[in-house]
Amino acid sequence: MKFLVVNGPNLNLLGTREPNIYGRQDYNALQKLVRDAAAEAGVEVEIFQSNHEGAIVDKIQAAMGDCDGIVINPAAYTHTSVAILDALKAVCLPAVEVHISDVSTREDFRQISYARLACVKTYMGLGFEGYRQAILFLKDYIEKQK
Ligand code: CA2
């Protein structure tokens, strides 16, 4: 079983600013947590980060036939991107949405999530741990579908 983990714009800068919201750990630490969680779940993982909406759409499309599920933190594109929503719907792969912060308690403009409409579950406000839980949940979810 193989999962694609997608991270959207500016998440490559984790650990450099806003530690009160996103913590002090950097993007390398996040990638390590994701790889460790995948090993724990016994799944293969590919991690992708981009600051470009079209590149994220291309990567989601490329997952069709190559991956069994997607974990996605679309970052700011969560709140704006119908293109990412459509790509998630088009590939028909189970997807889980992750946010490091608890977007439900933040600004009004963060209250809409387009990506969520194509996701089977959302984890938010758990810091990096949300990615681990998403990977474990997705493995379980896919096995139950069989
Ligand atoms: O909480 C999350 O994971 C978010 O997806 C993070 C996005 C934000 O736009 C979403 O509303 C919630 C922002 C990621 C920006 O990451 C930064 C990294 C370093 C310094 C500042 C921001």
Side-chain angles (χ1 to χ4, degrees), residues 125-144:
L126 301 177
F128 289 6
E129 170 65 15
Y131 288 82
R132 196 180 75 85
Q133 294 205 11
I135 286 167
L136 296 174
F137 171 85
L138 195 52
K139 162 96 186 296
D140 210 43
Y141 179 88
I142 292 168
E143 280 183 340
K144 284 186 178 136

Side-chain angles (χ1 to χ4, degrees), residues 10 13-14 17-18 22 73 75-76 79 99-101 103 110:
N10 299 307
L13 297 179
L14 280 170
R17 284 181 293 121
E18 303 192 78
Y22 302 115
N73 181 349
H79 319 298
H99 295 288
I100 295 165
S101 65
V103 285
R110 295 186 207 274

Side-chain angles (χ1 to χ4, degrees), residues 8 23 27 31-32 42 46 50-51 53 55 60-61 73 79-80 84-86 91 93 96-98 108 116 127 141 144:
Y27 189 66
Q31 291 187 88
K32 183 180 180 323
E46 180 177 351
S50 179
N51 297 323
E53 186 175 20
I60 292 168
Q61 288 187 9
N73 181 349
H79 319 298
T80 62
I84 290 174
L85 166 64
D86 285 347
V91 298
L93 291 171
V96 177
E97 177 190 28
V98 176
D108 286 352
R116 193 168 306 159
Y141 179 88
K144 284 186 178 136

Side-chain angles (χ1 to χ4, degrees), residues 70-117:
I70 298 174
V71 171
I72 184 162
N73 181 349
Y77 289 139
T78 305
H79 319 298
T80 62
S81 182
V82 177
I84 290 174
L85 166 64
D86 285 347
L88 289 170
K89 283 184 169 172
V91 298
C92 275
L93 291 171
V96 177
E97 177 190 28
V98 176
H99 295 288
I100 295 165
S101 65
D102 183 357
V103 285
S104 73
T105 61
R106 298 182 64 190
E107 301 93 329
D108 286 352
F109 65 84
R110 295 186 207 274
Q111 299 313 310
I112 184 152
S113 168
Y114 290 99
R116 193 168 306 159
L117 301 172

Side-chain angles (χ1 to χ4, degrees), residues 19-39:
N20 51 320
I21 302 175
Y22 302 115
R24 293 192 180 279
Q25 290 190 289
D26 66 11
Y27 189 66
N28 282 335
L30 176 58
Q31 291 187 88
K32 183 180 180 323
L33 179 141
V34 166
R35 287 198 195 94
D36 288 351

